[in-house]
Amino acid sequence: MINDMNFYFVKKPSLLRDGIQELLKRRFNESHIICCNQFNYEEMNEASIILIDVNEALTKLDDIERLHNEGVKIVLWVEELGLKEAKPLFKMGLEGYLYYDIDEETLVQALRFIFEGKRYVSPLLGGMLVDVYRESHIKKTKPPLDLLSRREWEVLQLLVKGYNNVRIADELFLSDKTVKNYVSSILHKLHVPDRTNAVIKALKKQWLYL
């Protein structure tokens, strides 16, 4: 059951942490929720999803990588945009990257999405992930051509370049409505919730490059 999830939230005590804990209890009422400011590996390995505050995560990079390699679903909780020290965590390709200024419904949907085995990135953090992939100088692409139509690949490439629907329509001589339909189809086929996550997935898998 999706409501029957075990959460482990690593963050120093604060009103925000208490608020997130109460939200999780209310929205996932059959779940077990642990909040603490330290790692307990036995409890962490039993968690469905581990949320880790970025500042706590920076002191445990090796441990997080080990847990992630063991198949534990890890979500990074970020409260400061542009934190350069966090780049190693973005390079790990964790299951989720959440910005603290997130509304309740989006948070719940993101956690459900991650629990189902998918990835979620808050749009405000998408730029940081794109920068990480840009620095990797990915040039050799390996797109699965049968996954999308030729036109959908063209639209996705322009999304990667940061084009909005209007600019894509102008570039490909299409109507705004047609572009919107292509974008919706791309999101469906890639199993991602929005264009930010579509771009990140395409870059991470080296299907396209900037």
Side-chain angles (χ1 to χ4, degrees):
M1 290 177 60
I2 286 195
N3 280 334
D4 188 15
M5 289 191 273
N6 294 324
F7 294 99
Y8 193 93
F9 193 10
V10 183
K11 181 175 173 57
K12 291 180 179 179
S14 67
L15 290 175
L16 178 59
R17 192 186 83 172
D18 293 344
I20 296 299
Q21 184 176 20
E22 289 304 313
L23 184 155
L24 294 176
K25 287 180 179 178
R26 176 163 44 83
R27 298 301 298 268
F28 302 96
N29 50 32
E30 297 181 18
S31 298
H32 184 52
I33 300 155
I34 297 175
C35 287
C36 64
N37 59 352
Q38 60 185 0
F39 281 38
N40 182 312
Y41 294 101
E42 183 176 346
E43 292 177 334
M44 294 174 90
N45 275 308
E46 294 178 356
S48 305
I49 296 177
I50 299 174
L51 290 92
I52 305 179
D53 180 87
V54 63
N55 293 302
E56 306 304 319
L58 288 172
T59 67
K60 297 284 187 177
L61 291 174
D62 291 340
D63 296 319
I64 291 172
E65 186 170 17
R66 177 168 65 82
L67 285 166
H68 190 237
N69 289 338
E70 290 173 357
V72 179
K73 292 182 174 66
I74 298 178
V75 177
L76 193 67
W77 183 266
V78 181
E79 295 181 17
E80 180 183 349
L81 291 173
L83 187 62
K84 294 181 180 180
E85 295 84 356
K87 284 187 177 180
L89 291 162
F90 281 84
K91 289 180 180 178
M92 287 183 191
L94 304 177
E95 279 66 36
Y97 295 86
L98 302 181
Y99 186 54
Y100 83 102
D101 188 18
I102 186 172
D103 64 81
E104 179 175 327
E105 289 303 322
T106 303
L107 174 59
V108 170
Q109 290 174 10
L111 293 174
R112 291 180 186 276
F113 208 75
I114 292 165
F115 182 73
E116 292 170 354
K118 303 167 187 174
R119 298 176 73 245
Y120 183 87
V121 180
S122 292
L124 284 172
L125 299 176
M128 295 177 68
L129 276 159
V130 170
D131 286 343
V132 168
Y133 296 133
R134 180 187 290 118
E135 290 175 4
S136 300
H137 302 294
I138 297 172
K139 293 298 181 183
K140 186 178 180 180
T141 62
K142 298 176 287 186
L145 298 179
D146 58 341
L147 180 60
L148 304 177
S149 69
R150 179 184 62 81
R151 185 62 94 182
E152 286 168 345
W153 280 115
E154 292 175 351
V155 171
L156 182 56
Q157 176 67 77
L158 295 179
L159 288 176
V160 167
K161 291 182 178 180
Y163 286 26
N164 59 27
N165 285 4
V166 174
R167 192 173 177 190
I168 292 174
D170 291 341
E171 183 78 13
L172 299 179
F173 303 101
L174 301 171
S175 69
D176 294 354
K177 183 178 180 181
T178 299
V179 171
K180 185 177 180 180
N181 289 337
Y182 276 129
V183 172
S184 295
S185 177
I186 290 168
L187 300 184
H188 176 72
K189 290 180 179 179
L190 298 188
H191 304 291
V192 294
D194 52 47
R195 63 180 62 208
T196 298
N197 285 273
V199 168
I200 290 168
K201 184 170 186 176
L203 292 173
K204 184 175 187 296
K205 290 185 173 292
Q206 300 184 25
W207 294 343
L208 300 170
Y209 62 87
L210 293 164

